């Protein structure tokens, strides 16, 4: 079993409330919100005020993915704005232990994110302090990129790291997830699948969530 977490990065921001209601009606329970600062990644998206507004209009789990420098200065503010899950990049934070602890103490699930060019072994310490790991299967910054195939082996390596240590850490994957690969990434150990363009890039986001959810073990 896995969950689909639609990423609003590919949504129509003028009709955001309707877009969110559509994916919720399709069965999604987690909403992925990509926060970019134009420094950690070469793109700028949305921040705290939008998270506050989304919080008022949905009961879905809000999953904020912080692609920002110095995430430790902002992570708890996102919890206060209404996020239920907050993740920070291992590459962006020399004080990731403190940041993860702060997120947990503020009452949210704490996640650590790993870029495609960062070895999984970089998580060996942080994984003890995280509720979930977000494995990037594209380089962060933009929606609609192609899934990097090597991510499958990295998922397996991460799954093994977690089980060898007997930890209860969920694995989320982000980037290029669609109907052609969702079953394979589930098989490799991912439990939360972020999907942006494969959901909001279609005419019927609710149906897209249903289709991705029902992929089961069928490989395309
Ligand atoms: C990329 C973001 C993703 C993005 C995924 O930097 O972190 O969450 O929205 O979009 P797709 O599913 O189109 O690759
Ligand atoms: Zn993301």
């Amino acid at each position: 079993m896995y969950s689909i977490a639609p990423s609003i990065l590919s949504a129509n921001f003028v009709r955001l409330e309707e877009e969110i209601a559509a994916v919720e009606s399709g069965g999604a329970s987690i909403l992925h919100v990509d926060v970019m600062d134009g420094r950690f990644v070469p793109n700028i998206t949305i921040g705290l005020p939008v998270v506050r507004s989304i919080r008022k209009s949905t009961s879905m789990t809000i999953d904020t993915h912080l692609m920002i420098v110095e995430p430790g200065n902002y992570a708890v503010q996102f919890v206060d704005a209404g996020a239920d899950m907050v993740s920070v990049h291992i590459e962006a934070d020399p004080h990731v232990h403190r940041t993860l602890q702060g997120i947990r103490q503020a009452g949210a699930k704490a996640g650590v994110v790993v870029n495609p060019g960062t070895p999984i072994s970089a998580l060996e310490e942080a994984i003890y302090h995280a509720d979930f790991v977000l494995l990037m299967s594209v380089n962060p910054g933009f929606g609609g990129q192609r899934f990097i195939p090597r991510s499958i082996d990295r998922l397996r390596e991460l799954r093994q790291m977690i089980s060898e240590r007997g930890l209860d850490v969920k694995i989320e994957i982000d980037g290029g997830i669609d109907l052609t690969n969702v079953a394979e990434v589930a098989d490799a150990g991912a439990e939360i699948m972020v999907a942006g363009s494969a959901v909001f890039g279609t005419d019927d986001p609710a149906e897209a969530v249903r289709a991705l959810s029902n992929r089961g073990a069928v490989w395309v």
Side-chain angles (χ1 to χ4, degrees):
M1 280 298 286
Y2 54 85
S3 306
I4 303 297
S7 162
I8 62 166
L9 186 60
S10 297
N12 180 340
F13 285 99
V14 175
R15 298 192 295 109
L16 195 51
E17 191 164 24
E18 290 164 47
E19 298 270 65
I20 293 170
V23 293
E24 191 168 13
S25 77
S29 57
I30 302 174
L31 191 70
H32 187 81
V33 178
D34 289 303
V35 177
M36 305 186 191
D37 67 352
R39 295 186 64 206
F40 181 67
V41 290
N43 196 6
I44 300 176
T45 54
I46 55 172
L48 290 161
V50 176
V51 174
R52 277 188 212 105
S53 296
I54 295 172
R55 178 72 294 158
K56 287 184 198 142
S57 74
T58 184
S59 56
M60 288 174 81
T61 296
I62 298 178
D63 168 30
T64 51
H65 172 193
L66 305 188
M67 285 159 276
I68 62 176
V69 298
E70 299 176 354
N73 293 347
Y74 301 96
V76 170
Q77 293 187 53
F78 279 91
V79 183
D80 294 342
D84 305 288
M85 298 164 67
V86 178
S87 59
V88 298
H89 275 258
I90 189 86
E91 302 87 0
D93 196 351
H95 305 293
V96 72
H97 174 266
R98 180 162 60 204
T99 306
L100 295 171
Q101 237 182 358
I103 295 166
R104 281 178 160 177
Q105 279 167 6
K109 300 282 186 207
V112 61
V113 194
V114 60
N115 275 339
T118 303
I120 297 298
S121 59
L123 299 173
E124 267 176 21
E125 187 54 40
I127 201 146
Y128 289 98
H129 316 293
D131 298 301
F132 66 102
V133 171
L134 174 49
L135 189 139
M136 292 307 301
S137 40
V138 299
N139 286 292
F142 303 94
Q145 301 180 79
R146 283 184 60 190
F147 181 85
I148 299 171
R150 161 92 184 125
S151 308
I152 297 292
D153 283 346
R154 286 164 59 75
L155 269 176
R156 294 211 171 92
E157 189 183 340
L158 178 59
R159 171 55 61 212
Q160 192 178 344
M161 181 190 281
I162 292 167
S163 55
E164 273 173 7
R165 287 161 177 74
L167 296 169
D168 179 19
V169 175
K170 291 238 176 307
I171 301 180
E172 179 174 25
I173 188 153
D174 185 4
I177 300 299
D178 61 21
L179 285 171
T180 70
N181 56 29
V182 68
E184 194 179 4
V185 296
D187 189 55
E191 295 157 290
I192 303 170
M193 322 300 193
V194 176
S197 49
V199 171
F200 290 111
T202 69
D203 292 340
D204 189 344
E207 181 51 35
V209 171
R210 276 191 287 272
L212 284 164
S213 306
N214 293 336
R215 213 57 188 169
V218 183
W219 288 31
V220 176

